[in-house]
Amino acid sequence: MFSVLSYGRLVARAVLGGLSQTDPRAGGGGGGGGDYGLVTAGCGFGKDFRKGLLKKGACYGDDACFVARHRSADVLGSSTACIVVLDRTSHRLHTANLGDSGFLVVRGGEVVHRSDEQQHYFNTPFQLSIAPPEAEGVVLSDSPDAADSTSFDVQLGDIILTATDGLFDNMPDYMILQELKKLKNSNYESIQQTARSIAEQAHELAYDPNYMSPFAQFACDNGLNVRGGKPDDITVLLSIVAEYTD
């Protein structure tokens, strides 16, 4: 197995300025008979409510409730999780996703494979959590066994975008695909620039009070009169499948 990309809310909250990684043995070009690797770069922004005030009633779900009710607990927290593993020999992408983070596999400008969002109800994703003793059995705590697992055959040049819900709540697919069109090769600098461009655009839209974001549309579909982006942690990992060389 090769190139495990995993993260959750807790990781994203720890990202202050940026996040990047790459495998120097993966390069571009060539045929499709050998081993595959990933050239990966990333960018992220922590959650910062100081940039804008949330509208009254704009914070929903057990995650927000959990934090508000148990601020004094010594150890607490919840996290979605998304794991993406490329088997470089079989060229198969193995994934496990729990919650509302997720991934896209893009080929020829189209999404050919993606994760499914897991929600208990509106804005309350499946999540791994550590509750204070007095709250055990009260707050949501899902088992890793509840993760949605898939396997998918990838090809050279496939783009794999892995991200927290801070991206998907603020940018619909068509916006993401428009940004990915700017990615012309598997050069690390190009991937890094595109990952940063996507994360920065999502971060800007998150604080736009007049933008009808995917999150706001989902809220309206659930009977809530909400408009604007959703301030949240944003982590974007962008990978291109390339030939693996020793």
Side-chain angles (χ1 to χ4, degrees):
M1 295 294 183
F2 171 74
S3 296
V4 179
L5 308 180
S6 63
Y7 65 91
R9 291 181 187 273
L10 299 180
V11 174
R13 287 170 183 166
V15 175
L16 298 179
L19 172 68
S20 65
Q21 67 180 61
T22 183
D23 182 353
R25 293 169 294 185
D35 289 352
Y36 286 2
L38 297 178
V39 183
T40 301
C43 183
F45 295 93
K47 187 183 297 184
D48 185 2
F49 291 123
R50 294 172 299 177
K51 292 193 61 175
L53 296 176
L54 287 177
K55 297 179 181 178
K56 183 179 180 181
C59 190
Y60 309 98
D62 279 1
D63 184 33
C65 180
F66 182 81
V67 173
R69 291 183 180 178
H70 303 286
R71 293 181 187 276
S72 61
D74 292 331
V75 179
L76 59 85
S78 63
S79 178
T80 61
C82 184
I83 299 175
V84 177
V85 181
L86 174 63
D87 186 319
R88 65 172 182 248
T89 302
S90 69
H91 307 164
R92 289 186 69 80
L93 192 73
H94 303 283
T95 67
N97 185 66
L98 187 141
D100 57 1
S101 296
F103 66 88
L104 304 175
V105 179
V106 178
R107 180 183 300 160
E110 297 182 354
V111 177
V112 294
H113 184 52
R114 71 184 309 152
S115 57
D116 291 323
E117 186 175 286
Q118 295 178 311
Q119 296 270 2
H120 289 284
Y121 42 88
F122 173 65
N123 200 34
T124 306
F126 284 34
Q127 53 201 273
L128 307 173
S129 66
I130 300 175
E134 68 274 14
E136 289 184 4
V138 178
V139 299
L140 292 173
S141 181
D142 297 291
S143 167
D145 293 336
D148 182 36
S149 300
T150 69
S151 294
F152 182 77
D153 291 328
V154 296
Q155 299 178 8
L156 289 175
D158 281 356
I159 300 171
I160 304 169
L161 182 145
T162 315
T164 55
D165 62 315
L167 172 67
F168 300 117
D169 282 343
N170 289 296
M171 288 183 69
D173 283 1
Y174 80 88
M175 283 189 181
I176 296 173
L177 292 175
Q178 283 179 347
E179 290 299 313
L180 292 178
K181 287 180 180 178
K182 302 175 183 178
L183 190 57
K184 301 301 183 182
N185 54 56
S186 59
N187 177 274
Y188 172 76
E189 287 72 20
S190 177
I191 299 172
Q192 176 68 75
Q193 183 178 3
T194 304
R196 178 169 294 278
S197 176
I198 292 172
E200 288 178 343
Q201 186 171 348
H203 190 245
E204 181 177 352
L205 291 171
Y207 296 95
D208 184 344
N210 299 313
Y211 169 57
M212 181 54 75
S213 64
F215 177 82
Q217 184 61 59
F218 189 28
C220 291
D221 292 343
N222 282 270
L224 301 169
N225 185 18
V226 174
R227 192 175 185 87
K230 183 190 179 189
D232 206 348
D233 45 66
I234 297 169
T235 300
V236 176
L237 296 178
L238 189 59
S239 306
I240 290 187
V241 179
E243 282 191 328
Y244 180 88
T245 57
D246 292 329

